[in-house]
Amino acid sequence: MKTISPTVPNSLLRLVGSAAAVVSLIGLPAMAQTLGPGDPSGGSSQSAQLQNQTPLGGGSCQKLVASSRLVRTVSFTQGDGDLDVFNPNTARDMQASFTNLSAAAVRVEVQREGSRAPEFLTIPAGATVSREYTRVLDVVLRCEDPTGATCRVDMELLHAPPSASDVAPDLPLWYPGPVAHGDADLPPDSAIDCLWEDDLIWSSGTDRKMELLVEITGEQDLRIEVEDKNNTFDVYHLDAPPAPPGGQTLHNFFEDAIAVRVTCNKNPVNGCSNCKYHYEVTILP
């Protein structure tokens, strides 16, 4: 089983329980919101408070953006149908990060002002996906697990009034910091084959400056693939113990990353066992 959750900034307190979550919004006193298994109408949990971001650039000419960050954990099933998780009174520009903690895929539907049809995004099980949208009117999730099992999604929506033009928001103003971290514990397909599929740990619709840390915590080797905006790839190999410690950790910086994938490979010395590793993805300004 793999546990993944977005890193929460120090100025934001999030407590997630089995039936409820308490959210305190950035820069404001704690304002409790009780979030149950998911209210299809969105409910009062959709409210968010405006605050000014830290000025950029310094000097007398500083740029401020009135923005709000909404952090939620939602649990729902396919039987619940479409779950409306964000429905503002007016259109908003948005950077959205979704972490699918489910055993099945989750579909995201985004309705934008002026668009004839909604945009759809499918998030594989265990994946973290970041996207930027302009003039958002509605965000809807649907669990695609046909067994009736519960889907669970961590989401972080950073949103602000629309920009003057219908283009991606100014990236430095949408600097999200740490977006995903977790500890993978992945069983192989079988003890005989001891093979694993690629594990998508993060992807973005916009190329990003990124800091990546991956560290082996088990007995199997890793192949790490970082895709950039030109669909070229940087590939790294980590060797599990008894290999020297220097080859068990990757810590690197990338200029225009759009995805990170990790593939477990059986170590030639160690027996077949679960593949275990720790990872952190941080987006840089």
Side-chain angles (χ1 to χ4, degrees):
M1 185 180 81
K2 182 171 69 173
T3 303
I4 313 173
S5 61
T7 302
V8 180
N10 291 334
S11 55
L12 186 88
L13 173 65
R14 185 180 63 184
L15 301 176
V16 180
S18 58
V22 179
V23 178
S24 171
L25 293 170
I26 290 178
L28 296 169
M31 301 180 63
Q33 299 180 12
T34 302
L35 310 180
D39 176 4
S41 67
S44 61
S45 60
Q46 304 309 312
S47 63
Q49 304 295 324
L50 291 179
Q51 73 137 65
N52 286 335
Q53 283 188 333
T54 303
L56 296 180
S60 60
C61 209
Q62 297 178 340
K63 190 173 184 180
L64 293 175
V65 170
S67 66
S68 182
R69 190 186 303 267
L70 176 63
V71 177
R72 287 189 65 184
T73 298
V74 292
S75 299
F76 55 106
T77 68
Q78 189 178 73
D80 293 326
D82 290 343
L83 181 66
D84 197 331
V85 295
F86 186 77
N87 186 14
N89 293 329
T90 58
R92 306 285 286 179
D93 283 355
M94 175 183 294
Q95 178 177 283
S97 292
F98 301 96
T99 299
N100 183 5
L101 304 175
S102 320
V106 171
R107 188 189 72 174
V108 180
E109 175 184 337
V110 177
Q111 181 66 56
R112 299 171 57 240
E113 185 178 66
S115 178
R116 294 184 177 181
E119 300 177 24
F120 294 96
L121 172 68
T122 298
I123 307 175
T128 296
V129 175
S130 300
R131 291 289 186 273
E132 289 182 350
Y133 299 97
T134 57
R135 303 181 182 276
V136 174
L137 291 174
D138 205 12
V139 178
V140 175
L141 304 182
R142 174 179 282 272
C143 177
E144 297 194 338
D145 193 326
T147 68
T150 298
C151 286
R152 184 167 174 261
V153 177
D154 281 353
M155 68 178 196
E156 182 174 341
L157 309 180
L158 177 62
H159 55 97
S163 57
S165 59
D166 191 16
V167 297
D170 187 4
L171 293 183
L173 296 175
W174 294 84
Y175 162 54
V179 294
H181 71 158
D183 294 283
D185 187 357
L186 306 174
D189 60 348
S190 73
I192 298 175
D193 298 330
C194 207
L195 299 173
W196 291 265
E197 295 182 356
D198 292 346
D199 189 22
L200 177 68
I201 63 174
W202 173 82
S203 75
S204 173
T206 302
D207 57 289
R208 297 291 195 177
K209 292 182 179 180
M210 179 189 70
E211 178 182 2
L212 175 65
L213 172 67
V214 180
E215 181 178 12
I216 291 177
T217 56
E219 297 182 336
Q220 307 304 333
D221 298 342
L222 298 180
R223 178 184 185 274
I224 303 162
E225 178 182 273
V226 179
E227 183 179 359
D228 68 18
K229 64 180 180 181
N230 296 319
N231 299 117
T232 57
F233 303 87
D234 291 328
V235 178
Y236 304 86
H237 296 273
L238 301 184
D239 297 323
Q248 298 170 24
T249 300
L250 169 66
H251 182 209
N252 211 343
F253 296 82
F254 302 88
E255 287 294 320
D256 52 7
I258 62 171
V260 179
R261 300 175 183 86
V262 178
T263 306
C264 300
N265 293 310
K266 183 183 178 303
N267 182 278
V269 175
N270 301 325
C272 189
S273 62
N274 282 12
C275 177
K276 300 180 181 181
Y277 61 89
H278 174 77
Y279 67 91
E280 298 177 14
V281 179
T282 301
I283 305 306
L284 305 174

